[in-house]
Amino acid sequence: MRSVVTGGAGFLGSHLCDRLLSEKHEVVCIDNLITGDTANIAHLIGNPKFSFIQHDVTNYIYIDGSVDFIFHFASPASPIDYLKLPIQTLKVGSLGTHKALGLAKAKKARFFIASTSEVYGDPLVHPQEESYWGNVNPVGPRGVYDEAKRFSEAMTMAYHRYHGIDTRIVRIFNTYGERMRLNDGRAIPAFMSQAIRNEDLTVFGDGSQTRSVCYVSDLIDGIYKLMISAYDMPMNIGNPEEVTILELAKEILRLTGSRSKIIFQDLPEDDPKVRQPDITKAREILGWMPIITREEGLARTYKYFLKKMQNQQPG
Ligand code: UDP
């Protein structure tokens, strides 16, 4: 089996490369490194089954030889990244998806798109099941990501229906774990790095908004199971255990034993008030559900961030 992973040097993409290699795939990783980092794949360099191409997939993608699976994971994915890179975010979700689908058609490969819970926007249905069409503000600051991903789902279904391409769509809910960037602005890396530095934890709004966070190994397992299943409609993968952001900040304070305080800052525009996946489909069709508790996952992630920060500040 030979797989192509776009965004393969990113947080999720690099964990996916690891999993595919462990399943005996040959892996071609493509990344333009605007938010990805070669440090995430450094341990794979020299593996004869792994290769890396630095390339922007909004341009034509050339791959020699046969390909069985294409995973399109390239995209800025944290709110501060896509606010900083709005055009690139729209381009990789639209033009990048088109190029990756073109490659799938040429190679007769199965195509797998990394979509997102953001297609549900600030949801009016809770928890979110796949049949919900969402509540997205197309012209708000988050619209660049949400609409790019909604377009990528539509394009995937068009190639599926019109060209008969074998496709899979995963809607990924908030995920955390090793290889997240300390400064990617998301709640868990932000709170952990603040706690380690004994700085105040910045909770946005009153912290009553909820998220449901999934540890990365669980998420990748769901993705792998979806890829080998026969199911070709969108599927939620995430951990349904819901928590308020204020509670999450308190959990991180307890875990780290930090002296930091919690301070409240303005809630960003269009910040979703709730988010929780309905994973009935994943349970019934894939036999998948998350197994790592938040306590365990946060402890592992903390260990990673602590080491990373110590390496950044020698002595
Ligand atoms: N958040 C926060 N403080 C931070 C970073 C994020 O309170 O330093 C909040 C953010 O407003 C949102 C939630 O935590 O309500 C999750 O944010 P994140 O960026 O992790 O992901 P999102 O689910 O919003 O894409």
Side-chain angles (χ1 to χ4, degrees):
M1 289 296 157
R2 190 159 183 251
S3 286
V4 170
V5 180
T6 78
F11 165 46
L12 294 182
S14 65
H15 283 282
L16 179 61
C17 290
D18 286 342
R19 174 66 186 258
L20 293 170
L21 287 164
S22 79
E23 301 287 348
K24 310 273 178 260
H25 286 226
E26 190 183 322
V27 175
V28 180
C29 164
I30 308 178
D31 206 299
N32 67 354
L33 302 176
I34 61 168
T35 58
D37 189 342
T38 50
N40 293 334
I41 49 167
H43 61 292
L44 301 177
I45 304 298
N47 180 334
K49 294 200 142 196
F50 179 79
S51 56
F52 172 65
I53 302 171
Q54 185 169 350
H55 178 68
D56 176 349
V57 295
T58 63
N59 300 308
Y60 187 87
I61 309 168
Y62 178 79
I63 304 283
D64 216 4
S66 68
V67 175
D68 303 290
F69 301 101
I70 295 166
F71 295 86
H72 184 40
F73 274 58
S75 180
S78 86
I80 61 165
D81 285 342
Y82 51 76
L83 287 181
K84 239 185 307 174
L85 303 163
I87 317 269
Q88 288 94 328
T89 302
L90 281 158
K91 282 177 72 182
V92 76
S94 54
L95 305 178
T97 302
H98 185 222
K99 296 288 181 285
L101 278 163
L103 182 66
K105 181 164 157 265
K107 302 287 185 183
K108 300 186 171 47
R110 183 172 292 178
F111 179 81
F112 189 109
I113 181 78
S115 186
T116 169
S117 55
E118 287 283 324
V119 300
Y120 303 122
D122 190 3
L124 305 176
V125 168
H126 192 64
Q128 295 76 55
E129 50 186 62
E130 289 88 346
S131 56
Y132 177 47
W133 293 350
N135 178 38
V136 169
N137 175 6
V139 295
R142 299 174 81 105
V144 296
Y145 184 67
D146 304 6
E147 296 296 1
K149 291 292 187 180
R150 289 172 68 95
F151 176 92
S152 71
E153 289 197 10
M155 191 63 148
T156 299
M157 289 310 293
Y159 265 65
H160 177 68
R161 294 191 177 113
Y162 188 77
H163 289 306
I165 304 293
D166 193 14
T167 54
R168 303 287 179 272
I169 299 174
V170 64
R171 291 184 179 153
I172 298 171
F173 282 66
N174 292 69
T175 304
Y176 68 98
E178 294 87 338
R179 302 187 194 150
M180 284 186 104
R181 296 196 333 267
L182 279 165
N183 61 351
D184 88 348
R186 283 188 273 206
I188 291 175
F191 295 160
M192 286 204 176
S193 52
Q194 289 161 346
I196 294 169
R197 296 192 184 104
N198 285 313
E199 291 168 359
D200 295 337
L201 269 59
T202 52
V203 167
F204 299 158
D206 62 5
S208 63
Q209 70 273 31
T210 68
R211 295 294 186 270
S212 308
V213 296
C214 187
Y215 183 65
V216 63
S217 61
D218 280 335
L219 186 97
I220 296 294
D221 191 49
I223 282 171
Y224 185 76
K225 289 195 163 98
L226 177 58
M227 187 273 284
I228 60 174
S229 80
Y231 191 73
D232 58 21
M233 291 305 282
M235 186 178 287
N236 291 338
I237 297 285
N239 189 321
E241 210 175 292
E242 190 180 12
V243 63
T244 67
I245 293 301
L246 182 58
E247 179 53 31
L248 189 62
K250 289 180 180 165
E251 284 178 8
I252 290 173
L253 281 184
R254 282 197 292 274
L255 166 74
T256 58
S258 165
R259 298 190 303 277
S260 300
K261 289 189 288 296
I262 291 174
I263 57 165
F264 296 91
Q265 294 186 348
D266 289 346
L267 192 65
E269 199 179 330
D270 295 338
D271 198 280
K273 283 178 270 313
V274 289
R275 194 184 281 151
Q276 181 187 33
D278 180 321
I279 59 162
T280 309
K281 278 201 162 59
R283 277 181 204 272
E284 289 177 356
I285 296 169
L286 309 180
W288 174 87
M289 59 176 193
I291 52 175
I292 305 289
T293 61
R294 200 161 61 242
E295 196 180 359
E296 169 69 20
L298 288 176
R300 291 190 200 180
T301 308
Y302 174 54
K303 229 170 113 186
Y304 170 80
F305 280 137
L306 202 57
K307 199 164 156 208
K308 202 164 168 164
M309 287 176 71
Q310 280 162 353
N311 289 344
Q312 276 178 355
Q313 299 157 349

